[in-house]
Every structure is written in C-alpha cells, then in structure tokens.
Amino acid sequence: MKRKVVSTLLCAAMVSTMLVGCGGGADNAASGDAAATEEGGDAAEGGTITVGFSQVGAESDWRTANSESMKSTFSEENGYELIFDDAQQKQENQITAIRNFIQQEVDYIVLAPVTETGWDTVLQEAKDADIPVIIVDRMVDVSDDSLYTAWVGSNFELEGKKACAWLNAYAEAKGMDEINIVDIQGTIGASAQIGRTKGLEDAAAEYGWNILAMQTGEFTQAKGQEVMESMLKQYDNINVVYCENDNEAFGAIDAIEAAGKTVGPDGDILVMSFDTTKAGITDTLDGKIICNTECNPLHGPRVEEIIKKLEAGEEVEKQAYVEEGIFAHGGDVAEVEIDGEKFEVTEVTQEVIDARAY
Ligand code: GYE
C-alpha cells in the first residue's frame, strides 16, 4: 500500500540535533504500542503501514539485538507489515533491497547502511517515488540531506573519545608508562568504524600512545580472532587491543589465550571493546574486557516514534543521538571528561548484567 506523505513538511523538518534518552524514547514508544493495540492493533488510522527495512547483516550480537528490536516493534499486532532484508554486509544487496521496496510501494524505507558513501543514486530514486527514508544506526554521507527524512543512531566518535579518555585515566592510575596498542577496526567505511578509529587516532596523538597496527575485523568474532592472531605474531609488545565491537573482542581474547598470553588487569594485554552486550559486559565483570563503551541497539521504538510523528503530520528531528554510557571492570576510573562534559563510568556488577536486555 502506498500513501503520500506531505513532502513540504519533510523539507521543513528541523535540522537541529537532539538527544534521545536511553530509556525515555523506548518507554514512550512502548506505551504508544500498548495504546495502539488496545484500539484494535492499528498503528495508523489509515490501516497497516508497510515498512521495508534494509538491515546490514547478522555479523554481531549487537546486530541480532537490533534486528529483534525492529521486528518486535514493526509487528502485525502493532499495525505494520515489515519487509525485512538481510544484506549480508554488502552494499549492493542493500541497494537491490531498496529498489525492491520502491517497486513494492512501501510506505517507509528504513535503512541501516553498511557504509556511509554510495547512497545518492538509490536514495534519489526513493525520493522520486515519494517514499520517506529513515536512516538508523550508522549514517549516510550524501550530497543532499533531503535524500533522507531523519536519522537516529549513536555518536560513534564520542564513543571512541570516551573509551580513550578512560584508557588514559586508567593508565595514569596504574602507572603504565607505555601504551602499545593495536586496533581491530570495524567494517571500513562504516560510521561506527570511522568514529571509533578517529577517537583512537586523536587520543594516540594527544597522549603519545604507539598504535602498532590497525586492521579490520569486520565486526565479527571469526575475523577478530584471525586478525589478533596475526598481530600477535608480528608484535610481542602489545599491551592494549582496541576492539571496535564485542564480537571482535571475543575473538581477540581467544587468540590471545591460544597464544599463551593473558588478558585482564593483571595480565599481559588489556582488551577494550564497544557495544556492552550482555556477553560483552559479562567478560567485563571478569576483567577479560577491561572497558566496554556502550552502544545501544534498541532502535525499533525510536524509528517507530519517527514514523508515528510523520503519520500525524508532525515535524521530526533530522538527526537524533542516543545517550550512552561507559562500563568498566573495577572502579579505578570514576568518571571521564570530554570537551568539558563529564561522563560517569559504571562499574560492572552482576546486577548491571542482569538488567541488560540484550
Ligand atoms: O557496534 C557492531 C555492529 O553499527 C553500531 O555494528 C553498529 C555496529 C556495532 O556490527 O557490533
């Protein structure tokens, strides 16, 4: 089913950046769902809303949680028809999926882009077909911002800065005189990789850390392990590995232990990570991952909130960042300061793990 959305309104949509609270947005949307269900299951007065969602793939635990969040939000009971497409980490598959969504005349296209560039042509096609596009998680780098209606996701560079500010404070507290770090990067060209790598490069320049090597682990456990194995063969003085997600960290830990080295606060190598999945913070409680910077995958309710506003003819924020924290093993660093803003560090306990939804 194809319905027109007021495009003048979309053009007038605010371009300011707002902060979406971790729980706040989700809670609001969740109560909205409940109300919709009581009224007979329709998210919109006009009937079922068709959403085509082009998902990156199934490369990580974070991604699985993200897909589940989208599927449970855009369910039949909530008044949606969700066309879910898994692109297996390939941009060409995402472009094909978007073209299929256009042909099927969906009401909304939701895109979690694998990399930032290369979207202008296909998003122009969606625009020409008058189908609003909502970008979620990673960002697109397009010449014309009117090619998408709204974006919601994380501030990846800030995540990188938080992780590095933590490492700097920890190194000072522990009297580490040298940081010899390797970076297992995410998928090259993905916003999550670009921001987290930049955070590290800037910090290394500022604090005088030695970056021994950088290589992509494609956000997967298998590749993370493979890359760590080869880095360990090449360098015998690595004392920190900066993994750009939890699954790479799991692989890196396996590689380090298989090489006869140890991880943890009293071990040979400190493992840093991002995502704070349940499995990730379980390793943080053990000290296997020393610091884990949060990245929230529960975007379903956030995207739904945007769609509900558009359905109601309301303005939507052009870009909205999710609020996120820092989780660490032990309480050596209580807080970090970035550009004048203080961020509290949460010491991982069993309660913190039990409260994690993903
Ligand atoms: O950190 C990683 C996933 O884009 C934020 O993608 C996402 C990243 C996340 O594969 O685990």
Side-chain angles (χ1 to χ4, degrees), residues 59-60 62-63 137-138 154 156 192 196 219 244-247 274-275 295:
E59 73 283 2
S60 65
W62 187 100
R63 189 64 55 196
D137 167 26
R138 304 173 187 172
S154 304
F156 301 112
R196 291 169 189 169
F219 285 130
E244 294 189 9
N245 81 343
D246 276 345
N247 292 80
F274 294 86
D275 281 358
C295 183

Side-chain angles (χ1 to χ4, degrees), residues 197-274:
T197 298
K198 183 165 191 310
L200 174 62
E201 283 176 322
D202 291 350
E206 187 179 344
Y207 304 126
W209 299 342
N210 306 317
I211 300 181
L212 300 173
M214 302 178 115
Q215 200 183 321
T216 183
E218 282 157 22
F219 285 130
T220 69
Q221 178 161 347
K223 195 80 198 217
Q225 181 168 350
E226 194 185 306
V227 168
M228 191 70 215
E229 270 164 17
S230 80
M231 286 173 167
L232 285 164
K233 280 183 195 143
Q234 235 184 317
Y235 302 96
D236 60 7
N237 60 338
I238 301 168
N239 63 357
V240 183
V241 53
Y242 182 90
C243 302
E244 294 189 9
N245 81 343
D246 276 345
N247 292 80
E248 290 179 346
F250 304 148
I253 293 165
D254 287 346
I256 294 166
E257 290 177 343
K261 293 204 172 195
T262 53
V263 295
D266 304 314
D268 303 313
I269 299 178
L270 298 174
V271 180
M272 308 273 297
S273 186
F274 294 86

Side-chain angles (χ1 to χ4, degrees), residues 263-322:
V263 295
D266 304 314
D268 303 313
I269 299 178
L270 298 174
V271 180
M272 308 273 297
S273 186
F274 294 86
D275 281 358
T276 64
T277 58
K278 207 165 196 155
I281 53 174
T282 301
D283 273 1
T284 312
L285 180 62
D286 291 347
K288 288 187 170 202
I289 293 175
I290 198 78
C291 174
N292 203 331
T293 303
E294 187 177 23
C295 183
N296 191 298
L298 307 179
H299 291 316
R302 299 183 182 115
V303 174
E304 189 191 31
E305 207 171 289
I306 294 170
I307 289 181
K308 281 188 168 167
K309 280 190 179 161
L310 294 171
E311 287 291 312
E314 290 169 24
E315 287 188 355
V316 295
E317 300 293 331
K318 189 82 184 182
Q319 300 187 352
Y321 285 124
V322 175

Side-chain angles (χ1 to χ4, degrees), residues 9 30 45 59 98 128 142 156 159 193 251 268 285 306 312 328 346:
L9 170 71
E45 285 169 26
E59 73 283 2
I98 293 170
D128 292 344
V142 283
F156 301 112
E159 289 177 354
Q193 176 273 316
D268 303 313
L285 180 62
I306 294 170
T346 303

Side-chain angles (χ1 to χ4, degrees), residues 118-132:
W119 299 105
D120 293 72
T121 306
V122 75
L123 294 190
Q124 184 64 54
E125 290 167 24
K127 191 181 173 186
D128 292 344
D130 275 333
I131 301 175

